Amino acid sequence: MRDNLFIALEGIDGSGKSTQVKLLAKKLEETGHKVYATFEPTDGMIGSMLRNILKGSIAADHRTIAGLFLADRLDHLLNETTGLVKKLDEGYTVITDRYYFSSYAYHGTHMDMDWVIAANKMCADILRPDINIFIDVQPEVSMERISANRQSAELFETLESLKNVQAKYLEAFEKLKGEENIQKVDGNRTPEAIADDIWAQVQQYSAR
Ligand code: ADP
Ligand code: TYD
């Protein structure tokens, strides 16, 4: 049993994940944890290729994109220097902005979700999050936040696709509720209120 946690934050684009990763990392550090905050798509080679695809600079079929996200995730876990398996062994509490539930939700809108889940089984066997925290935000709220802050939208950033992704997240949680620890927080509130809820969830699973 590790006493350092592996925490995944999930939610549609603009749900506030990266804001909450920062707030959670700060609280964990203040309470004596060593924290490694990370994200998918990664900033490695495969992740960079994915960002170019998401921006529209490179064209790719949705099945190819799903395969690349899987490869990026395996590198995220297994990379010899920066891999999460190593970070957890070194005693870091790891917080990731997106993990495999993102694949189930985003690729599940284009292909059979069960295929995506089966393809990611190896990742679940290597590292299953101690907690998956879902920041549950109304797609309209999230779309407003995105539009207020960005000049151009990425591949999935239309209201319709955010609604589809939100629905697929809920479908994936229902399918996997027996094997995954999934905690939902109401993300339509202030960053501080959301952070307090996340902190309460994390403390329940923290040995310290
Ligand atoms: P994500 O990583 O899920 O895309 P971000 O944390 O980048 O989301 O947040 C998207 C935008 O919304 C940012 O400009 C951020 O400052 C803002 N934001 C984040 N959380 C909230 C919140 N609870 N209420 C209002 N605005 C928020
Ligand atoms: P991200 O940089 O987290 O965007 P945001 O901060 O707007 O949430 O993720 C980029 C995009 O990648 C996002 O639209 C979701 C998508 N994505 C997938 O399609 N599959 C995946 O497996 C992951 C991890 C992300």
Side-chain angles (χ1 to χ4, degrees):
M1 270 296 276
R2 280 184 279 110
D3 72 352
N4 48 323
L5 297 178
F6 177 38
I7 303 163
L9 262 70
E10 294 286 355
I12 57 177
D13 297 72
S15 55
K17 292 179 290 18
S18 52
T19 303
Q20 294 303 325
V21 167
K22 285 193 203 108
L23 294 172
L24 178 58
K26 190 161 167 271
K27 284 197 180 162
L28 283 164
E29 276 163 357
E30 283 167 3
T31 51
H33 296 259
K34 290 203 294 181
V35 177
Y36 184 72
T38 182
F39 49 84
E40 295 185 3
T42 67
D43 54 7
M45 210 172 48
I46 307 164
S48 307
M49 187 186 291
L50 278 163
R51 289 188 192 279
N52 280 321
I53 292 172
L54 294 169
K55 272 193 304 192
S57 322
I58 308 177
D61 185 89
H62 280 289
R63 288 161 290 189
T64 311
I65 299 177
L68 282 171
F69 269 108
L70 172 60
D72 188 43
R73 184 160 302 125
L74 286 167
D75 186 50
H76 198 198
L77 293 173
L78 302 172
N79 190 284
E80 280 183 10
T81 46
T82 56
L84 301 189
V85 169
K86 183 162 183 274
K87 294 290 178 193
L88 284 160
D89 284 348
E90 289 170 352
Y92 285 92
T93 287
V94 172
I95 314 170
T96 184
D97 181 341
R98 300 193 178 282
Y99 193 49
Y100 45 57
F101 270 105
S102 287
S103 281
Y104 307 159
Y106 284 80
H107 311 305
T109 64
H110 298 283
M111 65 185 79
D112 180 14
M113 188 190 292
D114 290 334
W115 183 89
V116 187
I117 294 173
N120 274 274
K121 183 169 183 305
M122 205 192 289
C123 301
D125 289 344
I126 297 168
L127 276 183
R128 192 185 291 279
D130 296 294
I131 325 174
N132 298 279
I133 295 171
F134 179 60
I135 305 181
D136 194 0
V137 168
Q138 280 168 5
E140 289 80 2
V141 170
S142 165
M143 198 67 216
E144 250 172 53
R145 291 182 192 166
I146 295 170
S147 325
N149 289 290
R150 287 196 208 150
Q151 317 239 302
S152 61
E154 290 193 339
L155 188 60
F156 294 107
E157 294 176 347
T158 64
L159 182 59
E160 202 197 337
S161 73
L162 292 183
K163 282 184 178 168
N164 288 336
V165 171
Q166 181 89 341
K168 288 290 169 185
Y169 261 121
L170 301 182
E171 191 182 322
F173 294 146
E174 192 54 34
K175 265 185 201 286
L176 294 167
K177 63 182 179 197
E179 56 218 84
E180 295 280 349
N181 178 14
I182 300 151
Q183 303 297 332
K184 292 182 195 160
V185 299
D186 177 358
N188 303 292
R189 299 169 299 155
T190 63
E192 294 71 26
I194 301 165
D196 286 348
D197 273 11
I198 293 178
W199 185 235
Q201 294 292 349
V202 168
Q203 277 183 307
Q204 268 191 30
Y205 294 92
S206 175
R208 276 180 229 208

